[in-house]
Amino acid sequence: NDTMILICLASCSLNKIQHSLHQEPTLYTVKAVLILDNDGERLYAKYYDETYPTVKEQKAFEKNIFNKTHRTDSEIALLEGLTVVYKSNIDLYFYVIGSSHENELMLMSVLNCLFDSLSQMLRKNVERRALLENMEGLFLAVDEIVDGGVILESDPQQVVYRVALRGDDVPLTEQTVSQVIALLIYEKISYHLVNLTLTC
């Protein structure tokens, strides 16, 4: 009997492993991007699928995620069958959520890109008040990084550059403006060098 139980358990485990290995690869990596304050209240939330279809379910999930993560030093958690990567800074908590089989490094690249982009846009002053004063920039930045759950960009320099081009009314710091100008100059030089090479 014990042998039969062990064989059954091994078979179940093998089936689970095979199922996870044979899951279709998908571009839809990100299920949600969240920013909460140090009380666990939502400052920003964007859900990309119907895992939590109602605001009530989303708020319950956010409360749960905050309670499980705000006192730990870890950067990755498994919660409610989802992979959660997160980081905190002063009075903000940043979360990127994917499915349980999602690559944590891919999710972490989104998290780091978002944080670094905001850090540049806010002159490294990534805290609640500065964020609330620059929500338009945040919306544009997230849209540049993730679209419909698909990761588009992981380079914060590119995100800041595109946000500056798209959002004429977004308040940009001197540092950000100089970075955008540098990128424009670089692109013009590259363009002229390519044309010069083609004509020679």
Side-chain angles (χ1 to χ4, degrees):
N1 281 346
D2 288 345
T3 308
M4 287 300 290
I5 290 167
L6 285 170
I7 290 168
C8 184
L9 286 171
S11 174
C12 288
S13 297
L14 188 62
N15 285 339
K16 278 186 179 178
I17 291 166
Q18 286 174 334
H19 176 70
S20 65
L21 288 174
H22 289 96
Q23 279 179 328
E24 288 294 313
T26 175
L27 290 171
Y28 299 94
T29 303
V30 179
K31 287 183 171 287
V33 174
L34 309 172
I35 302 176
L36 308 179
D37 67 15
N38 57 359
D39 295 318
E41 294 299 317
R42 177 195 288 193
L43 297 177
Y44 175 86
K46 189 150 190 177
Y47 289 82
Y48 296 101
D49 67 7
E50 294 300 308
T51 305
Y52 300 99
T54 67
V55 173
K56 186 178 179 182
E57 288 172 287
Q58 291 172 6
K59 290 286 184 86
F61 171 67
E62 289 161 22
K63 189 178 179 71
N64 190 14
I65 203 173
F66 180 75
N67 289 337
K68 291 278 196 305
T69 59
H70 80 286
R71 288 189 182 154
T72 64
D73 291 330
S74 177
E75 294 180 331
I76 301 170
L78 287 171
L79 186 70
E80 298 184 21
L82 299 169
T83 302
V84 179
V85 297
Y86 59 96
K87 77 164 41 179
S88 62
N89 190 71
I90 306 174
D91 54 0
L92 296 174
Y93 289 81
F94 296 81
Y95 299 91
V96 175
I97 293 109
S99 64
S100 58
H101 63 271
E102 200 52 71
N103 184 331
E104 293 95 344
L105 292 175
M106 291 291 284
L107 297 174
M108 194 61 81
S109 74
V110 173
L111 180 67
N112 289 333
C113 182
L114 174 61
F115 184 84
D116 293 344
S117 299
L118 288 174
S119 184
Q120 287 182 43
M121 290 163 64
L122 302 175
R123 288 182 87 171
K124 300 189 177 178
N125 186 28
V126 185
E127 48 87 27
R128 186 179 186 275
R129 184 175 172 183
L131 186 72
L132 289 174
E133 289 172 357
N134 292 277
M135 288 301 281
E136 188 179 350
L138 167 63
F139 282 100
L140 291 172
V142 173
D143 286 348
E144 289 294 338
I145 299 166
V146 182
D147 183 26
V150 179
I151 299 171
L152 299 180
E153 185 60 73
S154 59
D155 180 357
Q157 296 282 355
Q158 287 296 320
V159 172
V160 171
Y161 170 62
R162 291 192 192 122
V163 166
L165 290 181
R166 282 178 60 191
D168 293 332
D169 298 326
V170 178
L172 295 170
T173 64
E174 287 173 25
Q175 182 189 7
T176 307
V177 171
S178 65
Q179 287 167 344
V180 171
I181 291 167
L183 277 166
L184 285 168
I185 292 168
Y186 172 77
E187 284 189 356
K188 280 198 171 201
I189 291 169
S190 300
Y191 174 77
H192 287 300
L193 283 174
V194 169
N195 283 345
L196 193 64
T197 309
L198 290 172
T199 54
C200 288

